[in-house]
Amino acid sequence: MAAVRRVAQCGSTSRLGAASPRRWCCGRQRFWAWLLLNTVVLRPLFGWLNTLAFRGWQCPPDATDGTSSRAEHGHEQNDTGLQLLVASAGNSGSTALQAALEVVGVRAYGPEEFTFYAPGLRYSDLASVHWGGPSGLLQSCGVQVVVADLFTMPIVEELIPRSPNAKLLVLRRGWSSWRASKRSTIARGLQSQVAVRVTSMVLLCHWLPLGLIWPVAPNDVGAAFYNTGG
């Protein structure tokens, strides 16, 4: 409240030039008051609203709660229903492949989907996740293909013995071409990632109730982010 009172006092001060120290001081106080209001009130509120809105996307909500076990689910753990497992070191066409699969109507999950739909997924607990059966994480979301990069490779390793009917595809690229692509990604990636992160966390994305303006049709529960909606 002290910050708000100081802002009110700024509005009642005499009119000074743009370069006035008092005008600069008042502008700084307004900024901190705005930052405090958004940090303490708006961001937690919108985060809570987003959590409620996106809860309907989870399929199922308790697949990664850590309470599942091999003995509990028995044979269901041995069949994920996957048709294809794709392994890649990144910069090898995995994103293009996932987008192409979605275009032809095949639901494919990559790192982003696992992060969103299974936020409680921990690599140390992959063996206890309820992967198989109709109520498992994959079949309940209608996932047919898993596309993994270097960081999500442990998921593919866990799914291989549980997916006896799935094909395994390893994406490869020539060393020189891959190295050039990776260097280019790293060179532009750090600056762009920092810019996006600052924008999303401080200025825009997480401060808006996006979940309330991004409706999901019942048949789109578990949709991949590369889904075209067609």
Side-chain angles (χ1 to χ4, degrees), residues 59-60 62-64 68-70 73 75-82 85 109 114 118 121-123 125-141 143 146 152 154-163:
C59 49
D62 60 346
T64 59
S68 303
S69 65
R70 295 171 185 255
H73 297 287
H75 66 280
E76 290 186 354
Q77 285 286 86
N78 295 321
D79 188 5
T80 61
L82 292 173
L85 290 166
Y109 269 21
F114 279 109
L121 193 65
R122 297 182 177 88
Y123 288 164
D125 300 327
L126 291 179
S128 64
V129 174
H130 183 191
W131 296 106
S135 61
L137 174 62
L138 298 174
Q139 287 195 35
S140 63
C141 288
V143 183
V146 169
T152 51
I155 295 178
V156 169
E157 295 176 353
E158 184 67 31
L159 292 175
I160 288 177
R162 304 175 187 273
S163 309

Side-chain angles (χ1 to χ4, degrees), residues 2-35:
V4 176
R5 284 197 296 269
R6 285 197 294 270
V7 172
Q9 292 173 359
C10 287
S12 61
T13 57
S14 59
R15 296 182 179 180
L16 299 174
S20 169
R22 181 170 296 183
R23 176 70 61 85
W24 178 83
C25 179
C26 290
R28 185 176 62 175
Q29 290 174 354
R30 291 191 184 97
F31 169 78
W32 285 113
W34 171 85
L35 185 64

Side-chain angles (χ1 to χ4, degrees), residues 151-210:
F151 297 102
T152 51
M153 199 67 68
I155 295 178
V156 169
E157 295 176 353
E158 184 67 31
L159 292 175
I160 288 177
R162 304 175 187 273
S163 309
N165 298 320
K167 305 293 183 181
L168 179 61
L169 175 63
V170 179
L171 299 181
R172 297 179 179 179
R173 187 174 182 176
W175 168 251
S176 299
S177 176
W178 181 87
R179 183 178 61 178
S181 177
K182 180 62 71 174
R183 284 181 173 177
S184 176
T185 300
I186 294 175
R188 71 174 185 272
L190 181 60
Q191 295 179 353
S192 61
Q193 288 178 16
V194 169
V196 171
R197 190 67 174 174
V198 170
T199 301
S200 64
M201 293 196 66
V202 179
L203 300 177
L204 180 61
C205 297
H206 293 290
W207 297 54
L208 297 176
L210 299 179

Side-chain angles (χ1 to χ4, degrees), residues 37-111:
L37 175 65
N38 282 274
T39 302
V40 177
V41 179
L42 295 183
R43 185 171 182 178
L45 175 62
F46 290 164
W48 176 70
L49 292 175
N50 288 342
T51 299
L52 293 180
F54 287 136
R55 185 171 295 174
W57 290 50
Q58 307 304 318
C59 49
D62 60 346
T64 59
D65 61 0
T67 60
S68 303
S69 65
R70 295 171 185 255
E72 178 183 355
H73 297 287
H75 66 280
E76 290 186 354
Q77 285 286 86
N78 295 321
D79 188 5
T80 61
L82 292 173
Q83 300 177 11
L84 179 66
L85 290 166
V86 181
S88 166
N91 295 80
S92 302
S94 56
T95 301
L97 175 61
Q98 183 180 356
L101 289 170
E102 286 290 335
V103 168
V104 298
V106 177
R107 178 162 293 180
Y109 269 21

